[in-house]
Amino acid sequence: MKFSFRKAALASAASLAMTIGAMAQADDVRVATDPSFVPFEMMDQASGEMVGFDMDIIREIGKRAGFEPKINTMDFNGIIPALQTGNVDIAIAGMTITDERKQVVDFSDPYYDSGLQLLVGVDNDDVKTVDDLAGKKIGTKIGSTSFDFLTDKFGSDATITPYPGSADMYMALIGGSVDAVFYDAPNVGYFSQTRGKDRVKVVGPLYEGQQYGIAFPKGSDRVDAVNKALAAMREDGTYDEIHAKWFGKAEE
């Protein structure tokens, strides 16, 4: 058979292009998030892009760990199933690290300290702590640790309504459908100072000290690279800069 350098060169070029294409595709990582957990993740109506604390964190991690985050938005209660089925590679959505969740997904090192907090109408002086919620109607978010907390504490002694999105439960509070909302402190606080200003107020202490983690399918080989990127961000001050952008200066 007559050997053709031209054909060999074309074949080599095609092979190289396929390899580069595969590498570029491999660098695209599917990241799941919940678009309603402000200010951690929310849709910027002007640009049509997801923005927020978590979005800045995962994009910076991607730069350092060598991948491009491709953001997939979904309801919070669908995120862990999406990880388990392999439909996404990473999830960052203000997700609390719990022993129960660790049985089905892997977590990064903690990247945010949080807790649960109580929100009531601005004129409500009857509810000051969670103990005052017995017999009340309470809104929270489906699939959240706040829902687990409430059901464990009250059982049938309170009417607990899990909403699919945080905006839904806040509107239920303002509209009088529930007496209080119980949910993650940063989200509750952010709403009270933005859309809920002068209409709602945060009351009571911080409950259930929690830590948020980035979630992965069990056995993911990306956990170590993400942890190294997080550690480097804390070391060089990048984490504090992102935190200050969304929450003010981090406490010493």
Side-chain angles (χ1 to χ4, degrees):
M1 180 183 291
K2 186 176 180 182
F3 185 78
S4 169
F5 286 102
R6 183 174 182 275
K7 288 183 178 180
L10 289 172
S12 178
S15 176
L16 179 60
M18 290 175 64
T19 300
I20 293 172
M23 289 174 63
Q25 189 173 12
D27 288 341
D28 290 345
V29 172
R30 300 163 299 172
V31 178
T33 195
D34 174 356
S36 68
F37 191 54
V38 297
F40 286 79
E41 38 264 338
M42 51 193 167
M43 179 67 70
D44 179 9
Q45 298 301 324
S47 66
E49 294 184 355
M50 290 297 297
V51 298
F53 177 76
D54 279 354
M55 298 297 94
D56 285 353
I57 290 290
I58 197 63
R59 286 172 180 137
E60 181 64 27
I61 287 173
K63 291 177 185 177
R64 296 171 185 242
F67 65 81
E68 178 68 26
K70 298 300 180 183
I71 306 301
N72 294 255
T73 59
M74 60 186 69
D75 287 342
F76 185 82
N77 61 320
I79 289 177
I80 286 181
L83 288 167
Q84 291 177 292
T85 56
N87 288 329
V88 295
D89 306 301
I90 293 176
I92 183 167
M95 185 179 291
T96 302
I97 300 170
T98 67
D99 290 338
E100 182 180 7
R101 287 172 178 163
K102 285 164 69 174
Q103 292 177 17
V104 293
V105 297
D106 288 337
F107 280 101
S108 68
D109 293 333
Y111 73 93
Y112 189 89
D113 294 330
S114 182
L116 305 176
Q117 206 144 38
L118 190 58
L119 191 73
V120 297
V122 70
D123 296 323
N124 186 336
D125 295 323
D126 297 328
V127 175
K128 296 181 171 61
T129 71
V130 165
D131 291 333
D132 297 324
L133 294 176
K136 304 288 187 182
K137 294 178 290 185
I138 316 162
T140 188
K141 192 166 181 179
I142 191 169
S144 65
T145 53
S146 50
F147 176 76
D148 295 337
F149 179 97
L150 291 170
T151 52
D152 288 344
K153 182 172 180 62
F154 293 109
S156 60
D157 293 334
T159 303
I160 304 163
T161 303
Y163 290 89
S166 55
D168 301 320
M169 64 187 181
Y170 293 137
M171 290 304 102
L173 175 61
I174 290 173
S177 298
V178 297
D179 301 303
V181 160
F182 189 64
Y183 191 46
D184 291 48
N187 189 257
V188 166
Y190 184 82
F191 179 79
S192 72
Q193 296 302 311
T194 52
R195 293 183 64 191
K197 190 173 180 63
D198 299 325
R199 297 193 287 178
V200 298
K201 62 184 178 182
V202 177
V203 296
L206 191 69
Y207 296 90
E208 293 282 288
Q210 302 174 342
Q211 292 182 309
Y212 294 164
I214 300 167
F216 307 80
K218 272 292 184 183
S220 172
D221 58 3
R222 295 186 172 92
V223 179
D224 186 55
V226 167
N227 282 337
K228 287 179 179 177
L230 271 173
M233 289 164 62
R234 291 187 182 276
E235 181 68 24
D236 65 21
T238 303
Y239 178 92
D240 288 342
E241 291 176 4
I242 296 173
H243 188 281
K245 174 182 174 181
W246 295 101
F247 304 107
K249 185 178 179 182
E251 294 182 4
E252 297 295 337

